[in-house]
Amino acid sequence: MHMGNLSHQTESLLTQVENRAVAPSSALLDLFVEAQDTLVAMLNRIARGETAPNIDALLARLTAAGGQMNPTSEQSVPPAGGAAPVVQMWRAADIGREATPALERRSGAEVPATPIESGMSALGEARSVPADALRAATDPEGWADRRERPGQIRVNTDLLNSLVNYAGEVSISRSRMEQQIYGFRDNLAELRRSAVRFRDQLRELEIQSESQILYRLDSHDADSTDFDPLEFDRFSRLQQLTRSLTEGLHDLTTIHLSMGNFVGEAEAVLQQQARINTELQEGLMRTRMVEFATQAARLRHIMRQTARELGKRAELDLAGGDVQIDRTVLDRMIGPFEHMIRNSLDHGIENEAERTRAGKAPVGRITIAAQQEGNEIIIRFSDDGAGMSVEKIRAKAIERGLIAADAHVSEDELLQFVLLSGFSTAAEVTHVSGRGVGMDVVHSEVKQLGGSMAVDTKSGLGTTFIIRLPLTLSITQALMVYIGEQPFAVSLGSVANIIECTPEQLSRMAVGKNPLLNYNEKLYSFMNLGARLGIPSAKANGRKVPVLLARAGTREVAIQVDGLGGTREIVIKTLGSQLAAIKGLGGATIMGDGRVVLILDVPGLWYAEEALRVEHQPRPTLQPLAEVRTRPVIMVVDDSLTVRKVTGKHLQKRGFDVMVAKDGVDAVEQLRGRTPDLMLVDIEMPRMDGYELTGRVRSDSKLKHVPIIIITSRAGEKHRQRAFELGVDSYMSKPYQEEELFKNIDSLLARGRSH
């Protein structure tokens, strides 16, 4: 009955305003908002089984406001014939955002929203369209117009999430099929090269056989009247076999062309399927996207309620309310936003007296601005309050043992401490200030969503939190990087630039607790990703090393990696409970070849708690670029694809890493980037044979120590002597015994380790 009385009284007053019997004003708007907030609070108390509050004073104020007929003020309504807006001071953008869905989620319960706040949006419309404004306010879901807008249905969000996941699985399957098609194309290219070599060898065989016939003919009596074998088509068995091989080669070439056409058609179908899959994913994503402004009324309600409890006055501005964001992301961020609003009102926004003394407007202002940048949503949450006390943060950090009392820590690093678990500078624990819970709960939720968070403050001017969230939780653009031979994915949105540095430049860089990289007259905090992750880096061998200039909070940092693998669209998979707690990991993805690749969280790597312990746990210093190897690497150089594959598999089974090259030229190119522990080399190869390759290796100061085993079908003493003159370590003839090969390999590797 109490709620009924309050609702009827408020509705009567609202009807008087609509009938222009009572002029709207800022005081009247505050009264309506207070009535709406009181109704919501009463409903929550009823749901919890508590008694209703005393609302006699509020009812009296509503009755008094309705009894004031046609007051005259500078904010009153113009004459009936005027065409000006009802109240110019009410911004249309704010009023439009007050039209909210019929149900609000608050404190985990479904709470029906009263039509009062929604209905007041009609007050800000021009007189020419009061009916449309009222209908939009009282029926925001548009149920009355459903028959006018056919084709709309309601779908369970869990079903949409499942469909998006299935679309991601289709993308993974397509990537794997592409990988297989590319491998098939490579094998076809190898088949074509083998056919060309086969054709050349057959032609040489034909020439040699004909030369032998002509030689035998010349040795007979020149006056003989018999036909020679070529004129009479009398061919030897060798010539017959040669022609049969030529016909077989022609059939092989025909099959190769047919398979090439098949691969081309398969690639065209995959490209078409990729376009369709992209459109499917984008369509499914759009079904999950909602405007940021859909939560405006709820956030304003929280702000008004908290401000009223604290006895402060503040306004909430929402910028970029039309920005589309994933519904799941928005729903999970509403709780953190509410916590941030309470935190700003309690710790940031001053009361009216303090703001007046500081020369500020008596009403505080909290601004939530959203904008889309690429595949990220950037949300800036700021207030114009007193700002954070850096000295209080330092004192709290010293008290918790995070830094030493005499540690020189920058203001930017000190501010990041507020994001640590349990870190709070609140002098008094109340339900408004989060009951002692700091901003770490917000930071944790942002990280779980795959985003990042940074804080910036100015004393006396306010505080700004910058939150970066993924546009969607399922698919993103990523840059593939390598540490050694292990791939990782980095969100492309966090990478600002990519540069290259020589090993000498990196070794000359200042190292220690805070290594810095100077690029374009700007200093970047530097991190060796391999050292940070504890993974051995690949040897540079004089080549330039890629360095990522990435965003970590409010600043850019330099991150050294071993190699880059290009950009690609990846499907994000959440980590299990065993890995979710590891700092610096943002998820995982599955590559086309079936490998699972971890997605790195750059801010998490940088602002990890152990990295912030400046004195107790200093950051890892940059180690000199060195190659640390756990398994020997053997290079197989042979023009036969079969030999390379079979030998490589045998070596891998024995615990070796394998490099393969199809001839000497290919081997020389690979040796520029990586040095093997041993080489298995054939003699007869196109472009560069085994003898020439051996000579080049032995003449190179960086490679001359690498053992070389010749494996060839040439068993003659002349070939063997030539190989040992060039400096090979062992010579084996095909076919060879596998145990003998591995015995020679083990012997040469052991000899190399002893030296």
PDB file of all heavy atoms in Angstrom, residues 726-755:
ATOM      1  N   LEU A 726      88.055 -32.428 -49.076  1.00  0.00           N
ATOM      2  CA  LEU A 726      87.300 -31.197 -48.776  1.00  0.00           C
ATOM      3  C   LEU A 726      87.022 -31.032 -47.288  1.00  0.00           C
ATOM      4  O   LEU A 726      86.610 -29.954 -46.850  1.00  0.00           O
ATOM      5  CB  LEU A 726      85.972 -31.202 -49.548  1.00  0.00           C
ATOM      6  CG  LEU A 726      86.091 -31.034 -51.066  1.00  0.00           C
ATOM      7  CD1 LEU A 726      84.739 -31.256 -51.735  1.00  0.00           C
ATOM      8  CD2 LEU A 726      86.617 -29.646 -51.409  1.00  0.00           C
ATOM      9  N   GLY A 727      87.201 -32.114 -46.513  1.00  0.00           N
ATOM     10  CA  GLY A 727      87.067 -31.963 -45.071  1.00  0.00           C
ATOM     11  C   GLY A 727      85.862 -32.617 -44.449  1.00  0.00           C
ATOM     12  O   GLY A 727      85.461 -32.228 -43.339  1.00  0.00           O
ATOM     13  N   VAL A 728      85.241 -33.603 -45.104  1.00  0.00           N
ATOM     14  CA  VAL A 728      84.116 -34.301 -44.474  1.00  0.00           C
ATOM     15  C   VAL A 728      84.648 -35.186 -43.355  1.00  0.00           C
ATOM     16  O   VAL A 728      85.817 -35.587 -43.349  1.00  0.00           O
ATOM     17  CB  VAL A 728      83.323 -35.141 -45.503  1.00  0.00           C
ATOM     18  CG1 VAL A 728      82.796 -34.276 -46.615  1.00  0.00           C
ATOM     19  CG2 VAL A 728      84.167 -36.272 -46.046  1.00  0.00           C
ATOM     20  N   ASP A 729      83.764 -35.507 -42.401  1.00  0.00           N
ATOM     21  CA  ASP A 729      84.187 -36.299 -41.245  1.00  0.00           C
ATOM     22  C   ASP A 729      83.886 -37.776 -41.409  1.00  0.00           C
ATOM     23  O   ASP A 729      84.526 -38.610 -40.760  1.00  0.00           O
ATOM     24  CB  ASP A 729      83.484 -35.776 -39.984  1.00  0.00           C
ATOM     25  CG  ASP A 729      83.874 -34.341 -39.686  1.00  0.00           C
ATOM     26  OD1 ASP A 729      84.868 -34.133 -38.978  1.00  0.00           O
ATOM     27  OD2 ASP A 729      83.168 -33.430 -40.170  1.00  0.00           O
ATOM     28  N   SER A 730      82.906 -38.113 -42.243  1.00  0.00           N
ATOM     29  CA  SER A 730      82.559 -39.513 -42.442  1.00  0.00           C
ATOM     30  C   SER A 730      81.927 -39.668 -43.813  1.00  0.00           C
ATOM     31  O   SER A 730      81.307 -38.729 -44.338  1.00  0.00           O
ATOM     32  CB  SER A 730      81.591 -39.993 -41.349  1.00  0.00           C
ATOM     33  OG  SER A 730      81.287 -41.366 -41.515  1.00  0.00           O
ATOM     34  N   TYR A 731      82.088 -40.869 -44.418  1.00  0.00           N
ATOM     35  CA  TYR A 731      81.586 -41.123 -45.776  1.00  0.00           C
ATOM     36  C   TYR A 731      80.848 -42.450 -45.758  1.00  0.00           C
ATOM     37  O   TYR A 731      81.409 -43.482 -45.390  1.00  0.00           O
ATOM     38  CB  TYR A 731      82.757 -41.181 -46.756  1.00  0.00           C
ATOM     39  CG  TYR A 731      82.364 -41.151 -48.222  1.00  0.00           C
ATOM     40  CD1 TYR A 731      82.405 -39.968 -48.938  1.00  0.00           C
ATOM     41  CD2 TYR A 731      81.976 -42.314 -48.877  1.00  0.00           C
ATOM     42  CE1 TYR A 731      82.062 -39.935 -50.287  1.00  0.00           C
ATOM     43  CE2 TYR A 731      81.620 -42.300 -50.224  1.00  0.00           C
ATOM     44  CZ  TYR A 731      81.665 -41.098 -50.917  1.00  0.00           C
ATOM     45  OH  TYR A 731      81.324 -41.064 -52.249  1.00  0.00           O
ATOM     46  N   MET A 732      79.562 -42.422 -46.125  1.00  0.00           N
ATOM     47  CA  MET A 732      78.734 -43.626 -46.107  1.00  0.00           C
ATOM     48  C   MET A 732      78.075 -43.799 -47.466  1.00  0.00           C
ATOM     49  O   MET A 732      77.625 -42.831 -48.093  1.00  0.00           O
ATOM     50  CB  MET A 732      77.654 -43.539 -45.017  1.00  0.00           C
ATOM     51  CG  MET A 732      78.194 -43.363 -43.613  1.00  0.00           C
ATOM     52  SD  MET A 732      76.887 -43.301 -42.362  1.00  0.00           S
ATOM     53  CE  MET A 732      76.203 -44.949 -42.523  1.00  0.00           C
ATOM     54  N   SER A 733      78.015 -45.049 -47.940  1.00  0.00           N
ATOM     55  CA  SER A 733      77.416 -45.366 -49.234  1.00  0.00           C
ATOM     56  C   SER A 733      76.007 -45.913 -49.038  1.00  0.00           C
ATOM     57  O   SER A 733      75.729 -46.624 -48.064  1.00  0.00           O
ATOM     58  CB  SER A 733      78.270 -46.408 -49.973  1.00  0.00           C
ATOM     59  OG  SER A 733      79.587 -45.932 -50.166  1.00  0.00           O
ATOM     60  N   LYS A 734      75.120 -45.552 -49.970  1.00  0.00           N
ATOM     61  CA  LYS A 734      73.760 -46.079 -49.948  1.00  0.00           C
ATOM     62  C   LYS A 734      73.743 -47.459 -50.603  1.00  0.00           C
ATOM     63  O   LYS A 734      74.449 -47.668 -51.608  1.00  0.00           O
ATOM     64  CB  LYS A 734      72.809 -45.147 -50.693  1.00  0.00           C
ATOM     65  CG  LYS A 734      72.691 -43.761 -50.114  1.00  0.00           C
ATOM     66  CD  LYS A 734      71.754 -42.892 -50.968  1.00  0.00           C
ATOM     67  CE  LYS A 734      71.651 -41.480 -50.426  1.00  0.00           C
ATOM     68  NZ  LYS A 734      70.793 -40.615 -51.258  1.00  0.00           N
ATOM     69  N   PRO A 735      72.943 -48.379 -50.114  1.00  0.00           N
ATOM     70  CA  PRO A 735      72.146 -48.290 -48.877  1.00  0.00           C
ATOM     71  C   PRO A 735      73.031 -48.475 -47.653  1.00  0.00           C
ATOM     72  O   PRO A 735      74.005 -49.219 -47.697  1.00  0.00           O
ATOM     73  CB  PRO A 735      71.151 -49.429 -49.020  1.00  0.00           C
ATOM     74  CG  PRO A 735      71.854 -50.437 -49.858  1.00  0.00           C
ATOM     75  CD  PRO A 735      72.726 -49.666 -50.816  1.00  0.00           C
ATOM     76  N   TYR A 736      72.662 -47.779 -46.575  1.00  0.00           N
ATOM     77  CA  TYR A 736      73.469 -47.835 -45.364  1.00  0.00           C
ATOM     78  C   TYR A 736      72.661 -48.475 -44.233  1.00  0.00           C
ATOM     79  O   TYR A 736      71.430 -48.549 -44.282  1.00  0.00           O
ATOM     80  CB  TYR A 736      73.907 -46.425 -44.947  1.00  0.00           C
ATOM     81  CG  TYR A 736      72.749 -45.484 -44.689  1.00  0.00           C
ATOM     82  CD1 TYR A 736      72.120 -45.434 -43.445  1.00  0.00           C
ATOM     83  CD2 TYR A 736      72.270 -44.629 -45.687  1.00  0.00           C
ATOM     84  CE1 TYR A 736      71.054 -44.589 -43.211  1.00  0.00           C
ATOM     85  CE2 TYR A 736      71.211 -43.781 -45.458  1.00  0.00           C
ATOM     86  CZ  TYR A 736      70.601 -43.764 -44.218  1.00  0.00           C
ATOM     87  OH  TYR A 736      69.542 -42.932 -43.997  1.00  0.00           O
ATOM     88  N   GLN A 737      73.369 -48.934 -43.232  1.00  0.00           N
ATOM     89  CA  GLN A 737      72.729 -49.496 -42.047  1.00  0.00           C
ATOM     90  C   GLN A 737      72.378 -48.367 -41.073  1.00  0.00           C
ATOM     91  O   GLN A 737      73.216 -47.518 -40.766  1.00  0.00           O
ATOM     92  CB  GLN A 737      73.658 -50.505 -41.360  1.00  0.00           C
ATOM     93  CG  GLN A 737      73.946 -51.735 -42.201  1.00  0.00           C
ATOM     94  CD  GLN A 737      72.700 -52.563 -42.450  1.00  0.00           C
ATOM     95  OE1 GLN A 737      71.830 -52.684 -41.579  1.00  0.00           O
ATOM     96  NE2 GLN A 737      72.622 -53.151 -43.652  1.00  0.00           N
ATOM     97  N   GLU A 738      71.130 -48.353 -40.599  1.00  0.00           N
ATOM     98  CA  GLU A 738      70.669 -47.273 -39.731  1.00  0.00           C
ATOM     99  C   GLU A 738      71.487 -47.196 -38.449  1.00  0.00           C
ATOM    100  O   GLU A 738      71.841 -46.095 -37.998  1.00  0.00           O
ATOM    101  CB  GLU A 738      69.187 -47.481 -39.397  1.00  0.00           C
ATOM    102  CG  GLU A 738      68.574 -46.366 -38.584  1.00  0.00           C
ATOM    103  CD  GLU A 738      67.090 -46.576 -38.348  1.00  0.00           C
ATOM    104  OE1 GLU A 738      66.430 -47.143 -39.243  1.00  0.00           O
ATOM    105  OE2 GLU A 738      66.609 -46.188 -37.272  1.00  0.00           O
ATOM    106  N   GLU A 739      71.816 -48.339 -37.870  1.00  0.00           N
ATOM    107  CA  GLU A 739      72.589 -48.332 -36.629  1.00  0.00           C
ATOM    108  C   GLU A 739      73.988 -47.765 -36.857  1.00  0.00           C
ATOM    109  O   GLU A 739      74.539 -47.076 -35.991  1.00  0.00           O
ATOM    110  CB  GLU A 739      72.673 -49.744 -36.061  1.00  0.00           C
ATOM    111  CG  GLU A 739      71.363 -50.272 -35.511  1.00  0.00           C
ATOM    112  CD  GLU A 739      70.812 -49.369 -34.415  1.00  0.00           C
ATOM    113  OE1 GLU A 739      71.619 -48.817 -33.618  1.00  0.00           O
ATOM    114  OE2 GLU A 739      69.589 -49.195 -34.353  1.00  0.00           O
ATOM    115  N   GLU A 740      74.548 -48.051 -38.028  1.00  0.00           N
ATOM    116  CA  GLU A 740      75.867 -47.501 -38.340  1.00  0.00           C
ATOM    117  C   GLU A 740      75.812 -45.979 -38.450  1.00  0.00           C
ATOM    118  O   GLU A 740      76.718 -45.268 -37.976  1.00  0.00           O
ATOM    119  CB  GLU A 740      76.388 -48.102 -39.640  1.00  0.00           C
ATOM    120  CG  GLU A 740      77.787 -47.624 -40.009  1.00  0.00           C
ATOM    121  CD  GLU A 740      78.247 -48.182 -41.336  1.00  0.00           C
ATOM    122  OE1 GLU A 740      77.486 -48.963 -41.962  1.00  0.00           O
ATOM    123  OE2 GLU A 740      79.363 -47.818 -41.778  1.00  0.00           O
ATOM    124  N   LEU A 741      74.731 -45.458 -39.059  1.00  0.00           N
ATOM    125  CA  LEU A 741      74.580 -44.009 -39.184  1.00  0.00           C
ATOM    126  C   LEU A 741      74.514 -43.356 -37.807  1.00  0.00           C
ATOM    127  O   LEU A 741      75.217 -42.369 -37.535  1.00  0.00           O
ATOM    128  CB  LEU A 741      73.318 -43.685 -39.985  1.00  0.00           C
ATOM    129  CG  LEU A 741      72.923 -42.206 -40.038  1.00  0.00           C
ATOM    130  CD1 LEU A 741      74.007 -41.371 -40.707  1.00  0.00           C
ATOM    131  CD2 LEU A 741      71.586 -42.013 -40.747  1.00  0.00           C
ATOM    132  N   PHE A 742      73.688 -43.882 -36.926  1.00  0.00           N
ATOM    133  CA  PHE A 742      73.544 -43.252 -35.613  1.00  0.00           C
ATOM    134  C   PHE A 742      74.794 -43.438 -34.759  1.00  0.00           C
ATOM    135  O   PHE A 742      75.086 -42.590 -33.906  1.00  0.00           O
ATOM    136  CB  PHE A 742      72.315 -43.817 -34.900  1.00  0.00           C
ATOM    137  CG  PHE A 742      71.015 -43.312 -35.454  1.00  0.00           C
ATOM    138  CD1 PHE A 742      70.154 -44.154 -36.135  1.00  0.00           C
ATOM    139  CD2 PHE A 742      70.665 -41.985 -35.326  1.00  0.00           C
ATOM    140  CE1 PHE A 742      68.965 -43.681 -36.662  1.00  0.00           C
ATOM    141  CE2 PHE A 742      69.477 -41.499 -35.849  1.00  0.00           C
ATOM    142  CZ  PHE A 742      68.627 -42.352 -36.524  1.00  0.00           C
ATOM    143  N   LYS A 743      75.527 -44.490 -35.016  1.00  0.00           N
ATOM    144  CA  LYS A 743      76.799 -44.656 -34.321  1.00  0.00           C
ATOM    145  C   LYS A 743      77.777 -43.557 -34.726  1.00  0.00           C
ATOM    146  O   LYS A 743      78.454 -42.959 -33.874  1.00  0.00           O
ATOM    147  CB  LYS A 743      77.380 -46.032 -34.628  1.00  0.00           C
ATOM    148  CG  LYS A 743      78.699 -46.321 -33.936  1.00  0.00           C
ATOM    149  CD  LYS A 743      79.193 -47.716 -34.274  1.00  0.00           C
ATOM    150  CE  LYS A 743      80.536 -47.989 -33.595  1.00  0.00           C
ATOM    151  NZ  LYS A 743      81.054 -49.339 -33.943  1.00  0.00           N
ATOM    152  N   ASN A 744      77.831 -43.255 -36.025  1.00  0.00           N
ATOM    153  CA  ASN A 744      78.700 -42.174 -36.499  1.00  0.00           C
ATOM    154  C   ASN A 744      78.232 -40.821 -35.977  1.00  0.00           C
ATOM    155  O   ASN A 744      79.041 -39.961 -35.615  1.00  0.00           O
ATOM    156  CB  ASN A 744      78.738 -42.167 -38.018  1.00  0.00           C
ATOM    157  CG  ASN A 744      79.460 -43.365 -38.597  1.00  0.00           C
ATOM    158  OD1 ASN A 744      80.312 -43.963 -37.930  1.00  0.00           O
ATOM    159  ND2 ASN A 744      79.132 -43.731 -39.830  1.00  0.00           N
ATOM    160  N   ILE A 745      76.905 -40.608 -35.948  1.00  0.00           N
ATOM    161  CA  ILE A 745      76.369 -39.334 -35.451  1.00  0.00           C
ATOM    162  C   ILE A 745      76.735 -39.136 -33.983  1.00  0.00           C
ATOM    163  O   ILE A 745      77.221 -38.064 -33.580  1.00  0.00           O
ATOM    164  CB  ILE A 745      74.836 -39.288 -35.652  1.00  0.00           C
ATOM    165  CG1 ILE A 745      74.496 -39.180 -37.137  1.00  0.00           C
ATOM    166  CG2 ILE A 745      74.233 -38.106 -34.887  1.00  0.00           C
ATOM    167  CD1 ILE A 745      73.006 -39.239 -37.427  1.00  0.00           C
ATOM    168  N   ASP A 746      76.501 -40.150 -33.163  1.00  0.00           N
ATOM    169  CA  ASP A 746      76.814 -40.034 -31.741  1.00  0.00           C
ATOM    170  C   ASP A 746      78.302 -39.788 -31.519  1.00  0.00           C
ATOM    171  O   ASP A 746      78.697 -38.991 -30.650  1.00  0.00           O
ATOM    172  CB  ASP A 746      76.375 -41.306 -31.007  1.00  0.00           C
ATOM    173  CG  ASP A 746      74.862 -41.479 -31.005  1.00  0.00           C
ATOM    174  OD1 ASP A 746      74.163 -40.462 -31.190  1.00  0.00           O
ATOM    175  OD2 ASP A 746      74.394 -42.624 -30.839  1.00  0.00           O
ATOM    176  N   SER A 747      79.131 -40.456 -32.315  1.00  0.00           N
ATOM    177  CA  SER A 747      80.576 -40.290 -32.161  1.00  0.00           C
ATOM    178  C   SER A 747      81.020 -38.868 -32.492  1.00  0.00           C
ATOM    179  O   SER A 747      81.793 -38.246 -31.749  1.00  0.00           O
ATOM    180  CB  SER A 747      81.309 -41.294 -33.054  1.00  0.00           C
ATOM    181  OG  SER A 747      82.704 -41.082 -33.010  1.00  0.00           O
ATOM    182  N   LEU A 748      80.490 -38.316 -33.597  1.00  0.00           N
ATOM    183  CA  LEU A 748      80.880 -36.959 -33.996  1.00  0.00           C
ATOM    184  C   LEU A 748      80.333 -35.915 -33.035  1.00  0.00           C
ATOM    185  O   LEU A 748      81.002 -34.918 -32.737  1.00  0.00           O
ATOM    186  CB  LEU A 748      80.395 -36.683 -35.417  1.00  0.00           C
ATOM    187  CG  LEU A 748      81.093 -37.495 -36.518  1.00  0.00           C
ATOM    188  CD1 LEU A 748      80.432 -37.250 -37.875  1.00  0.00           C
ATOM    189  CD2 LEU A 748      82.576 -37.121 -36.593  1.00  0.00           C
ATOM    190  N   LEU A 749      79.101 -36.105 -32.537  1.00  0.00           N
ATOM    191  CA  LEU A 749      78.544 -35.146 -31.575  1.00  0.00           C
ATOM    192  C   LEU A 749      79.318 -35.171 -30.267  1.00  0.00           C
ATOM    193  O   LEU A 749      79.563 -34.129 -29.650  1.00  0.00           O
ATOM    194  CB  LEU A 749      77.065 -35.449 -31.324  1.00  0.00           C
ATOM    195  CG  LEU A 749      76.103 -35.165 -32.477  1.00  0.00           C
ATOM    196  CD1 LEU A 749      74.685 -35.573 -32.100  1.00  0.00           C
ATOM    197  CD2 LEU A 749      76.133 -33.694 -32.862  1.00  0.00           C
ATOM    198  N   ALA A 750      79.699 -36.361 -29.827  1.00  0.00           N
ATOM    199  CA  ALA A 750      80.487 -36.462 -28.593  1.00  0.00           C
ATOM    200  C   ALA A 750      81.847 -35.807 -28.766  1.00  0.00           C
ATOM    201  O   ALA A 750      82.352 -35.133 -27.858  1.00  0.00           O
ATOM    202  CB  ALA A 750      80.643 -37.931 -28.208  1.00  0.00           C
ATOM    203  N   ARG A 751      82.433 -35.957 -29.934  1.00  0.00           N
ATOM    204  CA  ARG A 751      83.724 -35.325 -30.189  1.00  0.00           C
ATOM    205  C   ARG A 751      83.599 -33.810 -30.189  1.00  0.00           C
ATOM    206  O   ARG A 751      84.456 -33.092 -29.676  1.00  0.00           O
ATOM    207  CB  ARG A 751      84.286 -35.808 -31.523  1.00  0.00           C
ATOM    208  CG  ARG A 751      85.719 -35.370 -31.782  1.00  0.00           C
ATOM    209  CD  ARG A 751      86.210 -35.905 -33.106  1.00  0.00           C
ATOM    210  NE  ARG A 751      85.513 -35.271 -34.216  1.00  0.00           N
ATOM    211  CZ  ARG A 751      85.702 -35.588 -35.507  1.00  0.00           C
ATOM    212  NH1 ARG A 751      86.526 -36.580 -35.823  1.00  0.00           N
ATOM    213  NH2 ARG A 751      85.039 -34.964 -36.453  1.00  0.00           N
ATOM    214  N   GLY A 752      82.473 -33.321 -30.736  1.00  0.00           N
ATOM    215  CA  GLY A 752      82.267 -31.872 -30.740  1.00  0.00           C
ATOM    216  C   GLY A 752      82.081 -31.314 -29.349  1.00  0.00           C
ATOM    217  O   GLY A 752      82.566 -30.230 -29.022  1.00  0.00           O
ATOM    218  N   ARG A 753      81.367 -32.061 -28.476  1.00  0.00           N
ATOM    219  CA  ARG A 753      81.172 -31.576 -27.106  1.00  0.00           C
ATOM    220  C   ARG A 753      82.478 -31.580 -26.321  1.00  0.00           C
ATOM    221  O   ARG A 753      82.702 -30.721 -25.467  1.00  0.00           O
ATOM    222  CB  ARG A 753      80.127 -32.451 -26.401  1.00  0.00           C
ATOM    223  CG  ARG A 753      78.702 -32.191 -26.848  1.00  0.00           C
ATOM    224  CD  ARG A 753      77.714 -32.869 -25.923  1.00  0.00           C
ATOM    225  NE  ARG A 753      77.778 -34.315 -26.060  1.00  0.00           N
ATOM    226  CZ  ARG A 753      76.994 -35.015 -26.878  1.00  0.00           C
ATOM    227  NH1 ARG A 753      76.120 -34.397 -27.654  1.00  0.00           N
ATOM    228  NH2 ARG A 753      77.099 -36.335 -26.928  1.00  0.00           N
ATOM    229  N   SER A 754      83.333 -32.548 -26.604  1.00  0.00           N
ATOM    230  CA  SER A 754      84.606 -32.599 -25.881  1.00  0.00           C
ATOM    231  C   SER A 754      85.518 -31.445 -26.252  1.00  0.00           C
ATOM    232  O   SER A 754      86.321 -30.986 -25.448  1.00  0.00           O
ATOM    233  CB  SER A 754      85.302 -33.928 -26.172  1.00  0.00           C
ATOM    234  OG  SER A 754      85.661 -34.025 -27.558  1.00  0.00           O
ATOM    235  N   HIS A 755      85.358 -30.937 -27.489  1.00  0.00           N
ATOM    236  CA  HIS A 755      86.161 -29.784 -27.905  1.00  0.00           C
ATOM    237  C   HIS A 755      85.550 -28.487 -27.415  1.00  0.00           C
ATOM    238  O   HIS A 755      86.207 -27.480 -27.397  1.00  0.00           O
ATOM    239  CB  HIS A 755      86.288 -29.751 -29.423  1.00  0.00           C
ATOM    240  CG  HIS A 755      87.125 -30.894 -29.971  1.00  0.00           C
ATOM    241  ND1 HIS A 755      88.394 -31.159 -29.526  1.00  0.00           N
ATOM    242  CD2 HIS A 755      86.836 -31.835 -30.910  1.00  0.00           C
ATOM    243  CE1 HIS A 755      88.878 -32.220 -30.186  1.00  0.00           C
ATOM    244  NE2 HIS A 755      87.947 -32.646 -31.024  1.00  0.00           N
TER     245      HIS A 755
END
